[in-house]
Amino acid sequence: MNVAHSYFRETVKPTVDEFLHDPFSVRRARLAAIVLYHLVDYLKAQANQGWGVTKIAEAIAVKCPDFLLVRDVCDASKHCILTNETRGNKSPRVLAHSDQLDATSHDGLFSAPFGSGFFAEASYVWIKLDDGSWPNFVDVVSNVISFFDIFDFDEVQVLS
């Protein structure tokens, strides 16, 4: 039995879909990050080769750089504050605090000043990174789920 693919199909996909259908929900964004990142635990169990979670996560990040953003949102959601001090040679954190995940609403087309409104009052969850940039977390999660949609769960060795 492929435990990683089963977890992906039964838990990750539905949780991510719920977030993508409600892209203003910080709660659903956090849950999507948590289940997406913890897929590495299932890949570790699937690989059964003594690989650590960090090695698998870093290998995924080489092929899908947005996975590091998902990792940090996941860990910030659990621990509230993140640091780089204990990371050693691991990829550095790109955010430091759970409140850097934020839902932002833009004025709608008919209520904003001329030329500044958005059609359908676009609302999304954003991440304020330590470098000052604001990636759209919907795009980040979409990129990561697209990576796993075509991932070969039977051949975890493709990560090496």
Side-chain angles (χ1 to χ4, degrees), residues 9-149:
R9 186 181 64 250
E10 297 295 326
T11 303
V12 176
K13 280 293 281 185
T15 305
V16 167
D17 286 347
E18 288 172 1
F19 167 58
L20 295 177
H21 285 96
D22 187 7
F24 190 62
S25 172
V26 173
R27 179 183 67 83
R28 288 186 174 173
R30 291 181 196 281
L31 293 173
I34 290 166
V35 297
L36 264 171
Y37 180 68
H38 284 98
L39 183 55
V40 297
D41 293 315
Y42 287 81
L43 291 170
K44 177 184 176 200
Q46 189 70 33
N48 196 17
Q49 296 178 357
W51 293 3
V53 168
T54 300
K55 179 180 178 179
I56 293 171
E58 301 241 342
I60 291 168
V62 167
K63 297 173 187 269
C64 181
D66 281 339
F67 193 69
L68 294 180
L69 295 173
V70 167
R71 174 203 65 193
D72 287 356
V73 169
C74 168
D75 287 348
S77 295
K78 179 180 178 188
H79 301 290
C80 188
I81 298 171
L82 302 179
T83 64
N84 280 319
E85 287 90 36
T86 59
R87 296 217 38 92
N89 292 331
K90 301 174 190 174
S91 298
R93 300 291 189 181
V94 294
L95 66 148
H97 200 279
S98 62
D99 67 2
Q100 288 174 253
L101 189 68
D102 187 30
T104 303
S105 177
H106 299 285
D107 287 332
L109 187 61
F110 299 107
S111 61
F114 183 74
S116 65
F118 294 89
F119 186 72
E121 299 187 19
S123 300
Y124 300 102
V125 173
W126 299 82
I127 315 166
K128 181 182 180 187
L129 301 183
D130 290 343
D131 67 7
S133 63
W134 284 86
N136 180 330
F137 198 56
V138 171
D139 293 341
V140 170
V141 169
S142 294
N143 290 339
V144 175
I145 200 70
S146 293
F147 170 81
F148 284 114
D149 276 337

